[in-house]
Amino acid sequence: RSPPGSLLAAETMRAAGLLLAWALLRPVGTQQCHLAGGVLRFTDTHAEIRVPALHRVPSSLDPLYGLVRRCLDLIQQNPLPTELLRAALNDPSSVRTAQVVQYELGYVVCAAVALLFTVAVPVAGMCFCYCRSRRRCGGRLRAHRRSLGCRRHCLVTCLSLTSLVILISVVCAFVTSQRVKGQMEPGLRAVPATLRTLRQHIANVPQGVQMVVDQFEVPRQQIISDLGGLSRSVGLSIHTQLKAMTYAALAELQDRAGDLQTSLHHLQILDTTVRELVAARAELEPALRERRRRAVALLDDPRCTSCASALGRAQSLELGADYGKVPSVEKVLKALAGLPRSDFAEMIRQGNGTFNSIPELAVERMAQLIQDLRDEMARVTEKVQSIADGFPLPEYTRPASEALGKAEERSRPYLREVERFERYRWIAGTVLCSIILLILACNVTGMALGTYGLSKREDPGDYECRGEAGAKFLLLGVGLAFLFSWLLILLVFATFLVGGNIQTLVCRNWINQEIYKFIDTPGNLPPSMNLTRQLNLRRDSNLSATYRECKSGAGLWEVLQLDKSYDLDEHLKTPKYTADFQKRLGDFMARLGDVRLLRNEGRQDLETFARSGVDEVDYGRFQEEMKNPVVQTSLPALARSLEGLQKMQRNSTVAGRLATEARALWQMQNSTVQWQEALVAKLAESVRFLSRLAPHLQERVKNTLATTASVEAQLPVQAQQILRQEIGCFTRKELRYFAQYLNWVGQTLREDVASCQPLATALDNGRVILCDRIADPWNAFWFSLGCCTFFLIPNIIFAIRLSKHFRPIRNRLM
């Protein structure tokens, strides 16, 4: 090897040693799992039979609704009449009118007011007509006074404000009436539709449960797919994590084998070269002595001109380095004779090949495990099927389905009647609101014509047709008010009585759940209306508790009379399905790191190399001897001196002899000395390599043998650790798939497929439809119409009094 190659090998060896130390000190168990489980996607199988939740929609009429509810709370301050309702439901004949009147006292007072209004206003209208026929009211002013203008302006203002209030009220009445009509039809349709959806929800539970169970195919396929790549993934992980350590050990072993080969080569060169140099010195010595004798004799000849300068150099012409004095390496070569006995290249190739075959070996060793796990997945599928097979709902949900079916059939006739009466209410409300608008039109027209007529009348006593027409329009509006006010108050009271009782008796107690408490109290409902028995609820449950459980997302099996025979949480415990799967993975053992890096003969070769004495040779002696030249005097310099002297000679004989001696020196230099110098250079290269290797040889060989033995011992151990780690990662990943599926099953059964939440949602929807969407605008309708009706009284008064100001004054007072 050349010196640069030797230095590169040493640096490579040190880098490999550092890499090996890092690989040995790094704990394998700290590697993170690279098998990260994904999120499984399941198909929503039950969405078509859900009961959508309805909510109160904010409206610009909410302040009006709130005002009406506060008025009803003042009218009806009594709580839910528990005793009265119990008697009415269980024994209607025992109910006394006095009890009803006492509870409905606020409505009775309102009924009295409505009756008084119904009688008083038409009677007042007839009296007005009688007086008007006698020309005693609604006629003309008898005298002109200065205060008439102020009084007229005051009456116009009051009638305008009254008309404005009536207009706002009638607009609210129109809007709320239309809103009731718009909400009544879909609200009535929602009742049988919701009951039918609930029946379908209960009836489709078995199919839904089976569809949920069938979704186990999603995690099963994912797990089967993961199993297909498990063994190769494990093998590649072992190979990846251990290759730095193994390759470093093989590289160091290769360096030691190279050191052995190269050292043996340089030792042989050393021995051969020294022998050749010793022999060459022996041959050169007599020839050099003869050349010195002849040169000295020639230069010392008196005939030789100016030869004294080269005489001293010729006299010192003698041999230099004596390699017979350097240490012999024959003992070392004898110790290394026959090495290497093993083929290190083949040994390293086989070790490298064995290590690189770990992924294929893992596939082979884990094949049976993979097949067992696939068979286990088939058994897990059968276990998961037990969730559907053991689901006990069909025989328990039959009473609830029958009760919902009966309720749906019985509700249809009542709903049709409600729809019919709502149509009548809407027609009556629209007609009467139109009449109120007609009254307002008469007021506006009368005030406009009357005011215009007064502005054109020059004499208050003159007749002016526009003013008279204005007065007649006002009196027409008064007549319409007298004529239809009783119908208005009857419609107001009829809708008030229905809507007010719905709000105070039903909605208010529905919101605070007093109705549920009444239903739950034993004895309040007759046996034929026992909802707990009809819906087959648990014996220890009631409607309030059931509603709360369903609202919080309980399953049907949790509220029905299953007598604790089915515990879904017990069926959805992950270990129930994964115990055998996990055990097979936990019990798996396989040796995957048995790699032989250095056989016994190779180890013996390295040990022999270390004991051979290469490091005991005194290479310094060689280096000291190589500092001496082959010949003490430079033959080329002496030859050039002789050639220079030849040209200075007058004696041709001396000049010829100088030329002859110069040629002889050049011949000796080119033939013998240069060859010996080449041998010295060759010797220097070998000495340089061996002197660098020798001080570290024992330590390097020792470290290499220790490292190789350690790696061979550690490979199976760390491969087993990595195997356990990778199997642990794989197990946790697959268990997450099981857990995802079972959590999804529990959530889907509770919240969707077998959830009783639709029952609570249906009850909430019923309250939203009845109270928020129908009762609120219904009550706002009668409230607005009632405002119109009651403000007709001041409207009549102001219109009658104002009509006199639009007619000519009989007696003009100046």
Side-chain angles (χ1 to χ4, degrees):
R1 288 190 182 181
S2 63
S6 176
L7 180 61
L8 180 61
E11 294 298 328
T12 304
M13 181 189 65
R14 282 194 291 272
L18 292 175
L19 184 61
L20 177 61
W22 172 81
L24 289 175
L25 294 176
R26 180 176 59 107
V28 177
T30 61
Q31 298 295 314
Q32 295 183 351
C33 295
H34 62 277
L35 299 171
V39 178
L40 300 177
R41 302 294 180 185
F42 301 101
T43 304
D44 192 357
T45 59
H46 218 62
E48 69 278 0
I49 57 174
R50 289 176 181 165
V51 178
L54 302 179
H55 302 282
R56 178 183 179 88
V57 180
S59 170
S60 58
L61 295 175
D62 285 345
L64 177 61
Y65 297 159
L67 176 62
V68 175
R69 283 196 292 270
R70 286 191 289 273
C71 291
L72 288 173
D73 290 339
L74 291 175
I75 294 171
Q76 177 56 283
Q77 300 181 9
N78 297 323
L80 183 69
T82 305
E83 299 297 331
L84 183 61
L85 288 176
R86 181 189 297 117
L89 292 173
N90 290 277
D91 187 9
S93 61
S94 64
V95 178
R96 297 292 180 263
T97 305
Q99 293 176 305
V100 179
V101 171
Q102 182 180 1
Y103 177 73
E104 298 279 353
L105 184 59
Y107 294 99
V108 172
V109 173
C110 293
V113 173
L115 180 61
L116 178 62
F117 188 96
T118 304
V119 174
V121 174
V123 170
M126 287 187 291
C127 292
F128 174 76
C129 291
Y130 177 77
C131 292
R132 183 75 184 91
S133 66
R134 297 288 184 175
R135 298 181 182 274
R136 293 187 178 182
C137 57
R140 294 182 293 175
L141 296 175
R142 295 183 179 275
H144 179 74
R145 296 179 179 85
R146 293 182 178 180
S147 62
L148 289 179
C150 180
R151 189 180 302 172
R152 182 174 63 250
H153 290 312
C154 182
L155 289 174
V156 169
T157 301
C158 291
L159 183 59
S160 298
L161 292 177
T162 305
S163 301
L164 180 61
V165 172
I166 294 175
L167 177 62
I168 294 174
S169 299
V170 77
V171 170
C172 291
F174 263 122
V175 172
T176 53
S177 178
Q178 193 63 34
R179 186 160 294 186
V180 171
K181 182 178 183 296
Q183 294 293 338
M184 185 67 74
E185 185 177 355
L188 296 178
R189 286 201 308 266
V191 174
T194 301
L195 295 173
R196 184 167 56 254
T197 301
L198 291 176
R199 280 196 301 112
Q200 292 175 351
H201 174 75
I202 295 175
N204 289 343
V205 166
Q207 294 89 335
V209 174
Q210 185 59 50
M211 295 173 72
V212 168
V213 169
D214 291 342
Q215 286 294 302
F216 180 68
E217 187 66 16
V218 175
R220 193 186 77 85
Q221 288 295 338
Q222 183 63 49
I223 293 171
I224 292 297
S225 175
D226 291 346
L227 284 173
L230 173 61
S231 54
R232 178 161 291 276
S233 175
V234 169
L236 289 175
S237 181
I238 294 173
H239 184 271
T240 300
Q241 295 186 45
L242 298 182
K243 66 180 180 181
M245 176 177 67
T246 305
Y247 289 166
L250 288 172
E252 190 171 349
L253 181 61
Q254 187 174 12
D255 287 343
R256 297 293 79 73
D259 289 344
L260 172 60
Q261 294 277 6
T262 309
S263 298
L264 183 60
H265 172 69
H266 283 293
L267 285 170
Q268 292 172 348
I269 291 176
L270 196 68
D271 183 65
T272 304
T273 305
V274 167
R275 292 177 183 275
E276 291 179 352
L277 286 173
V278 170
R281 189 177 191 279
E283 293 178 3
L284 180 61
E285 183 177 9
L288 185 63
R289 189 166 49 247
E290 178 62 22
R291 293 270 74 78
R292 182 180 60 189
R293 184 186 65 78
R294 293 174 66 89
V296 168
L298 178 61
L299 294 174
D300 196 33
D301 190 339
R303 293 175 297 175
C304 185
T305 305
S306 302
C307 293
S309 60
L311 181 60
R313 189 177 299 173
Q315 290 175 345
S316 62
L317 192 64
E318 59 184 15
L319 291 175
D322 185 2
Y323 289 96
K325 301 176 182 180
V326 299
S328 174
V329 295
E330 291 183 1
K331 182 179 178 181
V332 178
L333 287 174
K334 188 178 296 183
L336 295 177
L339 294 184
R341 289 184 291 272
S342 57
D343 189 348
F344 280 95
E346 179 63 20
M347 191 187 310
I348 292 172
R349 187 188 65 78
Q350 289 180 0
N352 196 37
T354 303
F355 177 75
N356 290 335
S357 66
I358 285 180
E360 288 74 19
L361 184 62
V363 173
E364 178 184 345
R365 298 278 177 85
M366 298 181 69
Q368 186 59 46
L369 172 66
I370 301 301
Q371 184 58 45
D372 292 343
L373 292 175
R374 287 174 175 169
D375 296 340
E376 181 61 30
M377 287 305 300
R379 289 188 288 272
V380 173
T381 303
E382 297 175 359
K383 293 179 182 179
V384 172
Q385 181 61 37
S386 67
I387 297 177
D389 297 340
F391 211 72
L393 277 182
E395 63 268 24
Y396 292 94
T397 56
R398 190 176 300 108
S401 298
E402 293 175 356
L404 291 172
K406 291 179 182 179
E408 181 183 353
E409 291 299 324
R410 291 176 181 176
S411 66
R412 294 184 184 278
Y414 297 104
L415 296 176
R416 284 194 292 269
E417 289 298 318
V418 171
E419 188 174 4
R420 183 166 63 89
F421 284 117
E422 163 57 21
R423 188 181 306 112
Y424 295 155
R425 182 210 62 81
W426 180 78
I427 293 173
T430 303
V431 171
L432 292 177
C433 288
S434 301
I435 292 173
I436 294 174
L437 289 177
L438 183 58
I439 293 172
L440 292 177
C442 291
N443 288 347
V444 173
T445 304
M447 286 188 290
L449 290 176
T451 303
Y452 182 70
L454 289 178
S455 66
K456 296 299 183 181
R457 186 186 297 171
E458 296 179 357
D459 186 350
D462 292 342
Y463 178 82
E464 207 284 321
C465 62
R466 285 184 288 267
E468 185 69 23
K472 289 180 179 180
F473 269 105
L474 290 177
L475 292 179
L476 176 61
V478 170
L480 291 173
F482 279 129
L483 185 61
F484 291 102
S485 60
W486 66 278
L487 289 175
L488 286 168
I489 199 64
L490 287 179
L491 179 60
V492 168
F493 179 72
T495 53
F496 158 73
L497 188 63
V498 175
N501 276 291
I502 289 176
Q503 173 61 36
T504 58
L505 186 63
V506 179
C507 293
R508 186 170 65 191
N509 295 293
W510 197 340
I511 293 173
N512 58 28
Q513 298 192 0
E514 288 296 326
I515 289 181
Y516 295 144
K517 296 178 182 178
F518 174 81
I519 295 173
D520 293 338
T521 303
N524 283 348
L525 296 179
S528 60
M529 297 178 64
N530 190 336
L531 295 179
T532 301
R533 180 171 53 80
Q534 289 184 3
L535 296 177
N536 199 24
L537 301 179
R538 288 199 317 265
R539 294 182 180 87
D540 60 345
S541 181
N542 52 43
L543 187 60
S544 298
T546 301
Y547 171 78
R548 286 193 298 270
E549 291 178 10
C550 293
K551 187 78 172 176
S552 63
L556 283 172
W557 66 92
E558 294 175 314
V559 301
L560 298 180
Q561 294 191 40
L562 299 183
D563 297 327
K564 307 295 184 181
S565 62
Y566 189 81
D567 186 355
L568 181 63
D569 292 332
E570 184 65 28
H571 283 76
L572 296 181
K573 287 184 177 179
T574 305
K576 181 177 180 181
Y577 306 97
T578 62
D580 293 339
F581 185 88
Q582 192 172 358
K583 185 176 184 302
R584 288 182 181 275
L585 284 169
D587 293 344
F588 177 73
M589 299 290 290
R591 292 184 63 86
L592 298 175
D594 292 335
V595 178
R596 190 70 179 276
L597 302 181
L598 183 62
R599 290 194 292 269
N600 291 333
E601 57 270 22
R603 183 178 299 274
Q604 292 174 3
D605 284 351
L606 292 180
E607 291 174 349
T608 303
F609 177 45
R611 295 193 305 266
S612 64
V614 175
D615 55 331
E616 298 175 358
V617 176
D618 187 2
Y619 297 103
R621 294 280 305 278
F622 284 92
Q623 293 171 346
E624 291 177 1
E625 200 65 38
M626 284 186 294
K627 293 177 182 178
N628 299 321
V630 176
V631 179
Q632 291 289 351
T633 301
S634 173
L635 295 182
L638 182 58
R640 283 193 288 273
S641 296
L642 295 179
E643 289 175 348
L645 291 173
Q646 176 203 349
K647 297 176 182 178
M648 299 170 58
Q649 300 303 318
R650 296 185 183 89
N651 190 319
S652 60
T653 303
V654 173
R657 290 178 60 189
L658 287 172
T660 302
E661 287 300 323
R663 284 195 298 272
L665 290 175
W666 278 116
Q667 183 179 3
M668 180 178 291
Q669 173 67 27
N670 293 333
S671 62
T672 304
V673 175
Q674 282 188 357
W675 174 69
Q676 289 188 39
E677 288 176 348
L679 290 178
V680 171
K682 183 178 180 183
L683 179 65
E685 180 182 355
S686 299
V687 169
R688 190 181 302 114
F689 172 82
L690 293 171
S691 62
R692 289 181 179 179
L693 174 67
H696 310 288
L697 177 62
Q698 295 284 349
E699 182 181 359
R700 288 178 179 175
V701 172
K702 180 180 178 181
N703 290 340
T704 300
L705 293 176
T707 299
T708 305
S710 176
V711 170
E712 288 181 345
Q714 286 294 320
L715 275 177
V717 176
Q718 294 196 16
Q720 188 65 26
Q721 291 178 0
I722 298 172
L723 172 67
R724 300 314 313 159
Q725 171 190 304
E726 292 297 314
I727 288 181
C729 291
F730 177 82
T731 303
R732 289 191 292 274
K733 175 185 176 183
E734 307 313 313
L735 290 183
R736 281 195 290 270
Y737 289 140
F738 279 105
Q740 283 186 51
Y741 170 72
L742 294 175
N743 290 337
W744 176 80
V745 169
Q747 181 181 1
T748 305
L749 291 181
R750 286 189 173 94
E751 299 179 3
D752 186 7
V753 174
S755 171
C756 76
Q757 194 168 26
L759 299 177
T761 304
L763 289 175
D764 292 339
N765 289 351
R767 181 186 57 77
V768 172
I769 293 172
L770 178 63
C771 300
D772 297 338
R773 299 191 178 183
I774 295 179
D776 277 351
W778 177 288
N779 290 325
F781 165 73
W782 63 253
F783 185 83
S784 302
L785 195 61
C787 289
C788 296
T789 305
F790 283 104
F791 271 93
L792 285 178
I793 296 176
N795 179 81
I796 291 172
I797 297 171
F798 294 141
I800 291 174
R801 293 182 65 85
L802 184 61
S803 65
K804 294 182 180 184
H805 290 269
F806 294 154
R807 289 181 173 150
I809 300 175
R810 293 185 179 182
N811 298 321
R812 181 181 180 189
L813 299 178
M814 300 303 293

